[in-house]
Amino acid sequence: MRHICVVGLNWGDEGKGKIVDVLSSAVDVVVRYQGGANAGHTVYIGEDKKVLHHLPMGILHEGVAAVLGNGMVIEPRGLLEEVATVPASAVERLHLSDRAHVVLPHHTALDRAREATSDGDRKIGTTLRGIGPAYQEKSARRGVRLGDLVRPGFVEERLAEHIRAGAEGLELEEGAIEDSITLCREVRDRLGSRVQDTQSFLARLHAEGSRFLFEGAQGCLLDLDFGTYPYVTSSSPSFLGVGPGSGFSPRKIDHVVGVTKVYCTRVGEGPFPSEIDGAEAEALRAAGNEYGATTGRPRRVGWLDIPALRHAILLNDLDSFALTKADVLDGRATIPVTVAYRLGGEVFETFPTHAEDLSRVEPITEEWPGWGTISETTVRPFAERLEAATGIPVSILSTGKRRDQTVLLEPFESYVGAVR
Ligand code: GDP
Ligand code: IMO
Ligand code: MG
């Protein structure tokens, strides 16, 4: 086993950052292939909390190359601020795709304007980071890429006109264009030498025998095509997004591990069949500290959803599960798990395509064995039930937020053990 991919199986915030961090000690390169500052990936090193938005978690590991792939959309201020939080030497391990798109002020303004004027079914509850409009401009073949910023004269001579054209009819904040030009110039001057053809870079490292980890952002129920459209993000967070988002052939990836909490959360609008509310939800939100790492918004909470997981398993050609936040449900005699849906008089176990259907289903929930205090042994009856329901084994168990609160099972015990 050489190359691996870590994806979120729910609606994001599954604990991908922590899992990627743990596995990063075993690889040479960590690659982000989609999304941008909408992501918030957290790791605790001891009691020190670190949240990354653009940078792959591997950046925190000496000797690991960190690639921001062509499928990402990059916000200059956010990138510069994040780079300032890692050691200067880490910048030498950073590789920015010249094909990655740049999030500009008119994207953020459009994201805000749409969310402010939308209500009812039209509101998505985005992170307001300009993500959708940036991808929209990319698809319309009008975007600006990091590779443009480093071309002589582009920032000074062409960027303002580009933003003005894109902002037509929108109100930009006072000074937004000048600010953007300053920030893009800073990206060029400070990080220009790190902007490169990352597809060729990965091909070269692959030929040299390096081990790669692809770090998905968001979760596959937010996938633009296969998520709960239109309540989705504008990229492909699933394993299938690796190819277009990095230029590396997914055929070469040996193992896809999907991260799921033992319960479920969602931020923003959209259907969530197993959602709970009232005092029970408050208690779970407090126990799991379910507040967004990017926006601070309280996350909606509910139970693990097997039909949704099966959908994610198919989409990711999944090999194994990383189960996170099990400690949050410590002490429960049983764990509620949604195993099917009811709609009209019909019971089914599949995940409906249409968000309207999904919003109308009634969850059918079973009580699965609890674990008292979480450990590899005590979680076994629950894990076996999950494995039986999905056909997918558990390979990683996260028992707390810290790096060292992780149990690696096969194949990761050997994978990480080999380099320790
Ligand atoms: P990501 O976006 O998937 O990387 O997840 P986030 O970082 O947005 O949210 C996950 C939160 O859960 C973070 O605050 C993590 O520190 C925390 N976390 C991760 N794994 C565990 C775990 O096993 N137990 C507990 N209690 N917290 C965890
Ligand atoms: P990580 O990587 C959770 C959600 C937003 C909104 C929808 C569209 O930390 O798991 P966008 O700003 O992308 O246009 O918003 O997607 N969303 C996330 N939810 N975790 C994330 O990232 C998310 N990134 C976007 O809340 O519902
Ligand atoms: Mg997050």
Side-chain angles (χ1 to χ4, degrees):
M1 190 163 104
R2 215 166 118 200
H3 306 308
I4 58 180
C5 178
V6 177
V7 292
L9 296 179
N10 314 140
W11 283 284
D13 303 329
E14 297 89 350
K16 299 175 293 293
K18 181 199 153 163
I19 300 298
V20 170
D21 172 69
V22 168
L23 299 179
S24 289
S25 62
V27 301
D28 305 297
V29 189
V30 179
V31 185
R32 275 279 307 271
Y33 55 92
Q34 44 72 234
N38 49 352
H41 295 179
T42 316
V43 66
Y44 280 82
I45 302 162
E47 286 308 311
D48 282 347
K49 180 181 182 179
K50 183 88 191 157
V51 182
L52 295 178
H53 302 282
H54 291 95
L55 300 182
M57 269 295 167
I59 194 88
L60 304 179
H61 292 252
E62 267 319 311
V64 173
V67 175
L68 279 69
N70 58 277
M72 290 188 71
V73 288
I74 291 169
E75 201 279 304
R77 187 191 306 274
L79 178 66
L80 289 164
E81 283 175 1
E82 262 182 274
V83 166
T85 69
V86 296
S89 62
V91 177
E92 300 306 310
R93 295 185 275 110
L94 196 59
H95 303 267
L96 308 171
S97 170
D98 51 6
R99 296 182 170 94
H101 279 249
V102 182
V103 179
L104 293 167
H106 58 290
H107 300 139
T108 321
L110 185 54
D111 201 358
R112 284 181 188 281
R114 281 188 184 146
E115 288 289 288
T117 55
S118 305
D119 47 15
D121 292 353
R122 306 277 295 170
K123 196 175 169 66
I124 307 291
T126 74
T127 58
L128 302 177
R129 296 297 190 270
I131 302 292
Y135 278 116
Q136 187 180 348
E137 205 167 80
K138 171 181 174 176
S139 300
R141 299 158 297 184
R142 301 168 66 91
V144 168
R145 310 201 287 185
L146 285 181
D148 292 319
L149 299 191
V150 296
R151 291 178 80 78
F154 180 89
V155 172
E156 285 80 7
E157 292 158 24
R158 296 175 59 185
L159 187 57
E161 182 45 37
H162 178 92
I163 299 171
R164 253 181 241 117
E168 211 186 333
L170 278 172
E171 259 191 51
L172 293 185
E173 276 171 30
E174 177 101 16
I177 296 185
E178 294 72 19
D179 275 359
S180 180
I181 290 173
T182 305
L183 288 164
C184 287
R185 197 187 292 130
E186 207 173 324
V187 167
R188 180 194 65 197
D189 296 347
R190 286 182 52 197
L191 300 173
S193 64
R194 312 311 306 158
V195 175
Q196 61 200 265
D197 175 357
T198 49
Q199 183 191 32
S200 301
F201 174 67
L202 290 176
R204 180 162 62 76
L205 292 188
H206 175 72
E208 290 169 7
S210 295
R211 304 216 277 189
F212 295 175
L213 186 163
F214 291 86
E215 173 179 350
Q218 287 81 56
C220 52
L221 302 179
L222 289 169
D223 186 282
L224 178 59
D225 285 272
F226 294 95
T228 53
Y229 190 90
Y231 306 99
V232 293
T233 192
S234 300
S235 68
S236 301
S238 81
F239 167 62
L240 301 182
V242 167
S246 71
F248 184 74
S249 168
R251 246 185 344 150
K252 296 195 173 77
I253 294 173
D254 305 293
H255 194 103
V256 183
V257 55
V259 187
T260 176
K261 293 178 198 178
V262 292
Y263 54 93
C264 212
T265 63
R266 172 164 206 166
V267 231
E269 307 301 317
F272 183 177
S274 65
E275 184 171 14
I276 54 174
D277 55 17
E280 194 185 24
E282 282 301 328
L284 181 52
R285 186 175 301 115
N289 190 25
E290 295 298 351
Y291 295 88
T294 297
T295 57
R297 292 180 289 177
R299 296 175 181 147
R300 298 158 64 192
V301 297
W303 301 121
L304 191 64
D305 180 332
I306 301 296
L309 266 190
R310 286 207 193 96
H311 177 69
I313 289 166
L314 179 66
L315 182 57
N316 288 290
D317 195 6
L318 201 75
D319 292 298
S320 70
F321 290 123
L323 279 187
T324 60
K325 305 200 88 158
D327 53 300
V328 173
L329 301 186
D330 269 7
R332 286 187 71 103
T334 59
I335 312 290
V337 176
T338 292
V339 293
Y341 303 141
R342 186 180 288 116
L343 183 61
E346 197 194 341
V347 172
F348 53 97
E349 296 180 355
T350 49
F351 194 70
T353 298
H354 208 290
E356 215 170 84
D357 294 338
L358 195 62
S359 69
R360 285 168 51 226
V361 302
E362 186 194 321
I364 298 176
T365 300
E366 288 178 352
E367 294 293 327
W368 288 16
W371 42 75
T373 302
I374 188 66
S375 77
E376 181 184 347
T377 323
T378 56
V379 81
R380 225 33 256 168
F382 179 88
E384 277 166 16
R385 188 113 171 221
L386 177 65
E387 290 171 355
T390 59
I392 299 292
V394 175
S395 61
I396 300 175
L397 175 65
S398 173
T399 61
K401 64 187 181 184
R402 293 197 322 265
R403 226 180 219 181
D404 59 354
Q405 293 173 310
T406 316
V407 181
L408 296 176
L409 307 170
E410 288 307 329
F412 289 108
E413 194 180 0
S414 309
Y415 186 72
V416 174
V419 290
R420 266 193 184 146

